[in-house]
Amino acid sequence: MKTILVTGASRGIGRAIAEKFALGNKIILTGRNKAKLKETAEFVNKNGGEAVVVETDLSKPQNVVTLIKNLDISRLDILINNAGIAVVAPLEELTLENWQRTFDINVTAPFLLIQKLHTIMPKGSSIVNIASVASKDGFPNWSSYCMSKFALDGFTKSVREELRAKDIRVINIYPGAVATDIWNTVSGEQDLDAMMKPESVANLLFAAVAQPSGTVVEDITMRNLHDF
């Protein structure tokens, strides 16, 4: 049984990842919506896994520190930093509060989790950061989101080189548009049916960490076939 921590596990990509890894694993599920986390946990428990629900708000760094301190584990095999938010607004409407909150969830939380938890990760273990194609390209009105994902990308690539000597694999996944609740915060019509499904990201992630311990798939970009 492997111990896996998934942030943002209440819905979307995080839930799909937890469900994919359910069989035979202990999965620590974090998120802000306890009711939704319990739904994810119910699936995990019914499908051969052991779920642990931790309700927390990763926008506050102290909450991340508390989460780490309260984890009752001596070993972590896979850390999946999936939690993220997108504040979509023109530059002149973007508030400092939203800018900082985006950075804290999308960058500071993964930093703290990796910094503190890599010490209990064995050789051949994996850290996976869910980045975005917005780690590579800028998009109008998405400046705070792109800022955070560019930062996460640079952090991931640097930490990868530090942890390589410890035989800990660090993987970055860059999805294009995925049909998740994040689009509820975006104005205008969104064709969710034309987007990738969360399960596609989960399947790819599962395949990446299933590679032999001496093999790492470092940077994975995935898009809908007809995205341009």
Side-chain angles (χ1 to χ4, degrees):
M1 173 179 283
K2 291 184 176 180
T3 300
I4 303 167
L5 192 156
V6 184
T7 68
S10 59
R11 54 173 64 88
I13 295 173
R15 175 176 288 189
I17 291 169
E19 293 178 351
K20 182 68 178 179
F21 281 87
L23 182 61
N25 294 311
K26 177 179 180 178
I27 306 183
I28 303 167
L29 309 168
T30 78
R32 290 177 295 161
N33 189 321
K34 192 171 185 178
K36 292 293 185 181
L37 285 174
K38 286 183 174 180
E39 291 177 7
T40 307
E42 183 177 357
F43 181 96
V44 171
N45 291 330
K46 285 183 176 179
N47 288 272
E50 176 188 339
V52 177
V53 171
V54 182
E55 181 184 9
T56 189
D57 180 358
L58 298 182
S59 70
K60 297 176 175 59
Q62 185 55 49
N63 289 351
V64 185
V65 173
T66 301
L67 164 67
I68 295 166
K69 287 182 178 179
N70 291 339
L71 287 176
D72 186 21
I73 56 173
S74 58
R75 172 191 176 111
L76 182 64
D77 298 285
I78 304 173
L79 168 61
I80 301 171
N81 289 304
N82 163 73
I85 63 165
V87 176
V88 182
L91 177 62
E92 59 271 17
E93 296 178 13
L94 189 61
T95 66
L96 179 58
E97 179 183 6
N98 282 335
W99 175 274
Q100 190 63 56
R101 186 165 183 267
T102 300
F103 190 85
D104 283 339
I105 294 175
N106 295 1
V107 186
T108 304
F111 156 65
L112 290 171
L113 289 166
I114 293 172
Q115 183 189 53
K116 303 301 183 184
L117 293 178
H118 84 272
T119 58
I120 60 169
M121 300 186 74
K123 290 183 177 182
S125 57
S126 299
I127 296 169
V128 185
N129 291 335
I130 304 299
S132 168
V133 294
S135 300
K136 303 178 178 184
D137 297 302
F139 299 95
N141 301 328
W142 289 73
S143 59
S144 66
Y145 183 76
C146 290
M147 169 277 299
S148 69
K149 292 301 184 178
F150 267 76
L152 180 64
D153 187 35
F155 172 66
T156 302
K157 288 176 176 174
S158 296
V159 167
R160 175 186 296 150
E161 300 310 315
E162 291 189 40
L163 298 184
R164 196 184 299 277
K166 300 178 184 292
D167 291 330
I168 297 175
R169 304 182 295 186
V170 182
I171 300 166
N172 226 355
I173 298 181
Y174 308 89
V178 180
T180 68
D181 289 351
I182 200 170
W183 296 103
N184 294 340
T185 64
V186 181
S187 61
E189 294 294 324
Q190 310 296 332
D191 187 1
L192 298 183
D193 291 335
M195 297 180 186
M196 294 182 294
K197 306 308 178 195
E199 293 75 19
S200 296
V201 181
N203 290 341
L204 184 60
L205 192 158
F206 186 89
V209 301
Q211 297 301 312
S213 60
T215 301
V216 58
V217 184
E218 296 185 339
D219 296 302
I220 310 170
T221 299
M222 57 186 306
R223 294 178 181 268
N224 184 291
L225 180 63
H226 299 289
D227 282 349
F228 294 94

